[in-house]
Amino acid sequence: QGRRSDPRLARGLGYLGSCDGQGTFLVLGAVENPEDGSFNLAQVCVRAGGALCDGFLTPRCSRDELHERLSEISRCTGIEFVPIALADAAAIACAAFARARRQDEVSDDARAALQLLERVGASPEEPGPPALASVPTEPTLEPLRGLLSRPPYEQSWFFDRGDLEGNGVSLPEAGERLDDWVAAAVPRLAQAAVHERLAAMARHMARWHRLGGEPRAAALCASAALEVEAVGAQSSLLRVMLERSVVPAEQEVRADAGHDPVLLRQHLKRVFFAEVADPRGRDLARLDFTEAAFRSLEEACLSIPSERRPREEHRAAAAFAIGRAFADFLLTGAEAPIEQVIDPIERALHEICHLDRAECRRAVERVLPALGAFIDSHCARCPVACLDRSEARLAEEFFAAAHPAEDQKGR
């Protein structure tokens, strides 16, 4: 961050993403390569009001590829972008890096993105929300309901199942009035972490709307942030978020039930097993348990509030570490104590997902039985028996679309 800016790298484009309902946003810096007009694209994910989550660097993007990337992100996530100065994008990313609890935990990919942005020369300060004197709008229920019903809020600005369950809130019973459910839920969401997250989200959106030329929306968000900081659980923003949580939470349950196992398995192979050219039984076992670990870890993390919940790419990386450790534990064939596999699972959850000790323990209590159940439900009826054939060449089974037991079941 202390490097002098390089004038050859100072030209480019910056983009600031809207905040999602879990309290994270994207900042992109596209640095122009003067020799051919292409861009090196630094994409950084930041927690609103907090530290950098992750990032990566994509070299040599054309302008069309850059616009396609922005469109794809918006289409898949509902995030929208406003253009900002490249120096402002660098300032936001570098400030988030400075707030990291331990900078040595930042991934190599994110560090590469930051190193590029550091070289363009950051603005002296991050662009902030509107000044208090320009705030004309009270954060009452109706204006906030209208704001959160429009893009980019509509897809994610609600408390998801993990937020609710993590704070002891169940979905309404059949016939229960929404007002009664909200009134009962409000006291359970009195934790400071919830309010800090909501206030940070609103402050970020005040900045986002201001930079996007929407002063009234910016003022409403700035007022909402102040009210959350002042009255916490009694704020209008928290109430509207609760109102919007009922239908999305029910939809989320249905979406979980319809998750495509074929797409998940292909994704895990592409990301974590790309270098496996001659797969053996050991590789197939690791893939199987990575898939099982990912599903169980996804469920286990729903009880963690959004402000601490690991992102999907971190859950996938932890699932790979867990699946590999569990498969190798079984393939030893020895009567080893279960602690030999619990330790690497807890280490993966702590180092990759940054869970604390209690969260790691609760996750292990969900993940380990699920892996055992996978042995009963899949391994017991699988015709391949990869756990007994660790060195057998199993390319056809490994590269198949589905688990061999699922394929057998469908015949």
Side-chain angles (χ1 to χ4, degrees):
Q1 194 168 345
R3 297 180 188 175
R4 297 178 61 187
S5 64
D6 185 338
R8 295 173 302 169
L9 296 177
R11 294 186 59 183
L13 306 168
Y15 298 92
L16 182 63
S18 56
C19 189
D20 66 20
Q22 293 189 0
T24 59
F25 66 89
L26 296 176
V27 57
L28 277 62
V31 181
E32 185 175 354
N33 294 305
E35 63 273 15
D36 62 3
S38 66
F39 294 92
N40 293 329
L41 177 62
Q43 181 173 318
V44 177
C45 179
V46 179
R47 289 199 186 278
L52 179 144
C53 298
D54 208 348
F56 59 88
L57 179 65
T58 305
R60 302 286 177 182
C61 291
S62 68
R63 190 176 291 268
D64 287 344
E65 289 171 336
L66 173 61
H67 292 156
E68 287 173 8
R69 173 66 59 85
L70 293 172
S71 297
E72 182 182 8
I73 294 172
S74 296
R75 185 171 60 252
C76 295
T77 65
I79 291 171
E80 296 189 1
F81 292 93
V82 293
I84 61 175
L86 178 59
D88 287 341
I92 294 170
C94 292
F97 176 60
R99 291 192 294 267
R101 287 182 302 169
R102 289 182 53 192
Q103 293 181 350
D104 60 349
E105 292 181 346
V106 173
S107 70
D108 291 341
D109 289 339
R111 199 175 295 275
L114 285 162
Q115 286 172 348
L116 175 66
L117 293 176
E118 286 173 346
R119 294 172 63 189
V120 306
S123 295
E125 296 182 0
E126 297 181 63
L132 296 183
S134 68
V135 176
T137 308
E138 290 296 321
T140 52
L141 292 173
E142 287 309 315
L144 286 171
R145 285 170 179 151
L147 183 68
L148 268 60
S149 67
R150 55 173 273 198
Y153 300 91
E154 58 181 346
Q155 290 192 27
S156 66
W157 274 59
F158 52 84
F159 293 117
D160 64 18
R161 188 152 55 104
D163 285 322
L164 298 176
E165 293 180 357
N167 289 284
V169 178
S170 301
L171 289 172
E173 300 289 341
E176 184 177 2
R177 293 177 65 249
L178 179 61
D179 286 348
D180 294 338
W181 178 80
V182 169
V186 162
R188 294 184 178 274
L189 291 167
Q191 289 84 352
V194 175
H195 308 155
E196 289 169 3
R197 173 179 137 213
L198 283 187
M201 290 162 58
R203 283 196 302 272
H204 174 80
M205 291 308 295
R207 171 172 63 181
W208 187 85
H209 283 296
R210 178 175 66 83
L211 293 170
E214 296 184 285
R216 291 192 63 81
L220 179 59
C221 290
S223 295
L226 290 173
E227 187 188 43
V228 171
E229 291 172 336
V231 299
Q234 301 304 317
S235 67
S236 297
L237 179 58
L238 186 138
R239 179 183 176 87
V240 174
M241 290 276 288
L242 276 170
E243 291 175 352
R244 301 189 74 253
S245 300
V246 177
V247 173
E250 292 171 344
Q251 291 173 342
E252 184 184 3
V253 174
R254 292 196 293 272
D256 288 345
H259 194 75
D260 190 332
V262 172
L263 292 180
L264 172 61
R265 192 171 178 87
Q266 300 313 309
H267 171 74
L268 295 173
K269 273 190 279 194
R270 185 171 60 252
V271 174
F272 300 108
F273 296 87
E275 297 181 1
V276 178
D278 181 24
R280 309 297 178 99
R282 181 182 301 274
D283 299 306
L284 181 58
R286 288 172 172 173
L287 172 61
D288 292 344
F289 287 113
T290 296
E291 181 181 358
F294 180 84
R295 292 185 179 283
S296 60
L297 188 56
E298 204 170 29
E299 184 69 24
C301 286
L302 284 176
S303 62
I304 299 174
S306 290
E307 63 270 8
R308 284 196 45 77
R309 190 178 309 152
R311 293 179 60 82
E312 182 173 338
E313 61 267 27
H314 295 158
R315 298 198 304 269
F320 172 61
I322 292 168
R324 181 177 55 189
F326 191 77
D328 291 352
F329 171 75
L330 295 177
L331 288 168
T332 60
E335 293 295 328
I338 195 65
E339 285 73 22
Q340 286 192 11
V341 74
I342 290 178
D343 289 343
I345 291 177
E346 288 189 341
R347 188 162 55 250
L349 292 169
H350 175 68
E351 295 178 357
I352 300 174
C353 295
H354 308 303
L355 302 184
D356 62 30
R357 186 182 299 274
E359 290 166 340
C360 286
R361 190 177 304 114
R362 288 195 295 270
V364 169
E365 290 172 354
R366 298 288 294 271
V367 172
L368 204 54
L371 295 178
F374 182 86
I375 294 175
D376 295 334
S377 64
H378 287 69
C379 300
R381 59 184 174 85
C382 180
V384 177
C386 62
L387 290 174
D388 297 324
R389 305 164 61 204
S390 63
E391 296 303 321
R393 283 187 164 88
L394 298 174
E396 181 180 353
E397 293 82 358
F398 182 87
F399 291 115
H403 185 282
E406 292 293 334
D407 187 51
Q408 185 80 2
K409 184 172 133 181
R411 291 178 183 175

